[in-house]
Amino acid sequence: MPYGDDATIRRILSHRTWAVVGLSTNSHRAAFGVAAHLQQWGKRIVPVHPRAETVHGERGYASLADIPFPVDVVEVFVNSATAGDIADQAVKIGAKAVWFQLDVVDLAAYERTTAAGLDMVMDRCAAVTLQRIGLASAAV
């Protein structure tokens, strides 16, 4: 079951700079394709992976704390057991929102993150949602 109402989702999707945690050069991973899709929709992606690889032309960083500029959204492509720590790091760096990808759920992290004033979505694909909302907006 996805977490995050339509108003929250629209607010998050309006942000430009997205740190994608778990993004590497492995083109077989979901993060790789979703990040490319985000770029197609005008988002700046920031790869975050221990190897700090450059992906889709964007320099990578080993951690959220290493990013030397503001990040609007932290999109999380790690398993649910470690996702809560990433959400806590997003709060620490001053992100505006956290997005947990499909099948990533941590109710305690959701409570902590939203209590800290950040918008948050869990268990939803950002690329699919952006496509759906983008097409709906274009039809208006």
Side-chain angles (χ1 to χ4, degrees):
M1 166 180 215
Y3 298 84
D5 60 40
D6 284 347
T8 300
I9 290 167
R10 286 182 186 279
R11 214 169 26 251
I12 293 172
L13 291 176
S14 73
H15 294 301
R16 183 176 187 286
T17 304
W18 290 57
V20 184
V21 178
L23 176 58
S24 71
T25 57
N26 184 344
S27 63
H28 299 290
R29 304 288 300 188
F32 189 88
V34 170
H37 194 79
L38 288 169
Q39 281 186 318
Q40 290 171 355
W41 282 87
K43 308 301 180 190
R44 177 183 185 189
I45 58 124
V46 182
V48 179
H49 191 279
R51 289 191 302 267
E53 299 171 311
T54 296
V55 184
H56 299 308
E58 294 287 345
R59 177 182 170 196
Y61 296 89
S63 72
L64 290 173
D66 292 338
I67 301 171
F69 49 83
V71 168
D72 299 319
V73 181
V74 174
E75 182 164 12
V76 180
F77 282 90
V78 299
N79 64 50
S80 296
T82 58
D85 180 53
I86 302 299
D88 294 340
Q89 291 174 40
V91 172
K92 286 180 187 173
I93 67 162
K96 297 174 182 152
V98 174
W99 191 294
F100 280 9
Q101 192 60 23
L102 280 174
D103 299 324
V104 180
V105 176
D106 182 330
L107 295 175
Y110 185 86
E111 294 300 322
R112 289 191 312 271
T113 303
T114 56
L118 281 69
D119 286 328
M120 186 164 176
V121 171
M122 289 194 306
D123 193 24
R124 192 180 291 261
C125 179
V128 170
T129 305
L130 187 60
Q131 178 80 17
R132 179 181 58 85
I133 294 208
L135 291 176
S137 297
V140 174

